[in-house]
């Protein structure tokens, strides 16, 4: 308990679609008693067609004991890189009326700035109330970083808000069997998602 912990996640969307959408994350964290919380490191990568994004983040969490409850607060600060793989793009001089010209090489100039580095911050909380409720929430991209690869256009990454609620229903008097109805809600700009389980 409270030892070094490792996590790894990989997700691939829409396998039959030619433009790969892949997400991977690897993390490590450990509880440190003198900090009253934990320290962690998270590395993530996403590939969405020709766009690649990699980030490295440090995480700090603080645990607070309350009457009949425990509150955990978390902060995340990181550096991210966004780039475009121009080998996966086709330009007008590589296309004719039949489609892409096989083996063609474009004469289009590639931009000088193909990499964008930016700071990215997040924060959240998780409240355990009694032995039944778990409530959490927070936000990613609090600083709304500029992801634009050009210097004359500001393209902010919208904040992502999230909320989580879970309730424990015991199915026997000993608490060995139970049901955990829960939901997670995400919202970013005009997009939202609700998962119920």
């Amino acid at each position: 308990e409270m030892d070094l912990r490792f996590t790894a996640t990989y997700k691939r969307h829409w396998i039959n679609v030619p433009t790969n959408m892949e997400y991977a994350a690897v993390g490590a964290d450990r509880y440190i008693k003198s900090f009253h919380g934990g320290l962690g490191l998270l590395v993530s990568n996403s590939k969405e067609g020709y766009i690649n994004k990699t980030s490295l983040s440090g995480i700090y969490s603080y645990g607070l004991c309350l009457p009949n409850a425990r509150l955990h607060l978390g902060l995340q600060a990181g550096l991210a890189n966004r780039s475009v793989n121009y080998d996966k793009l086709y330009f007008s001089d590589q296309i004719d009326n039949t489609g892409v010209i096989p083996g063609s090489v474009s004469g289009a100039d590639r931009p000088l700035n193909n990499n964008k580095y930016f700071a990215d911050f997040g924060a959240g909380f998780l409240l355990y109330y009694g032995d039944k409720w778990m409530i959490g929430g927070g936000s990613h991209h609090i600083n709304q970083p500029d992801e634009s690869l050009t210097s004359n256009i500001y393209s902010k990454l919208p904040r992502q808000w999230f909320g989580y609620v879970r309730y424990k229903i015991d199915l026997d008097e000993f608490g060995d069997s139970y049901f955990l109805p829960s939901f997670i809600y995400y919202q970013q700009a005009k997009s939202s998602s609700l998962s119920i389980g």
Side-chain angles (χ1 to χ4, degrees):
E1 285 195 14
M2 295 182 269
D3 205 348
L4 188 63
R5 176 175 57 176
F6 293 95
T7 60
T9 304
Y10 174 78
K11 180 168 58 170
R12 169 82 190 269
H13 284 287
W14 303 304
I15 292 173
N16 294 329
V17 176
T19 55
N20 295 349
M21 296 189 72
E22 299 179 20
Y23 303 89
V26 177
D29 63 82
R30 182 182 176 104
Y31 178 80
I32 300 173
K33 190 173 183 179
S34 59
F35 285 0
H36 301 283
L39 292 177
L41 196 62
L42 177 67
V43 179
S44 63
N45 176 261
S46 65
K47 294 177 182 173
E48 299 174 353
Y50 56 87
I51 297 176
N52 186 57
K53 188 184 207 178
T54 303
S55 67
L56 172 65
S57 300
I59 301 169
Y60 170 68
S61 65
Y62 180 81
L64 184 63
C65 290
L66 303 170
N68 201 32
R70 285 189 339 246
L71 178 63
H72 297 268
L73 305 171
L75 298 173
Q76 179 177 339
L79 182 66
N81 171 262
R82 186 169 186 248
S83 62
V84 173
N85 183 351
Y86 282 89
D87 294 331
K88 292 189 174 184
L89 292 177
Y90 293 103
F91 297 90
S92 60
D93 58 352
Q94 295 174 283
I95 301 171
D96 62 15
N97 60 355
T98 62
V100 176
I101 303 168
S104 62
V105 177
S106 176
D109 292 332
R110 295 190 179 192
L112 296 175
N113 182 18
N114 184 29
N115 287 299
K116 174 75 174 191
Y117 289 92
F118 54 88
D120 198 4
F121 300 99
F125 76 93
L126 189 60
L127 175 68
Y128 295 92
Y129 185 73
D131 61 351
K132 301 288 186 186
W133 288 97
M134 183 188 293
I135 302 167
S139 177
H140 291 292
H141 320 305
I142 291 174
N143 56 322
Q144 295 185 305
D146 180 14
E147 284 194 312
S148 176
L149 295 172
T150 63
S151 59
N152 59 346
I153 296 175
Y154 180 76
S155 177
K156 71 178 179 181
L157 180 59
R159 286 186 192 101
Q160 181 188 59
W161 299 96
F162 59 91
Y164 174 76
V165 175
R166 186 198 80 186
Y167 183 74
K168 181 181 178 186
I169 301 171
D170 290 321
L171 300 177
D172 63 19
E173 58 184 301
F174 306 109
D176 294 332
S177 300
Y178 46 85
F179 181 60
L180 298 172
S182 60
F183 79 85
I184 301 174
Y185 177 76
Y186 289 96
Q187 182 175 0
Q188 188 172 22
K190 295 181 180 179
S191 300
S192 62
S193 169
L194 176 64
S195 298
I196 300 173

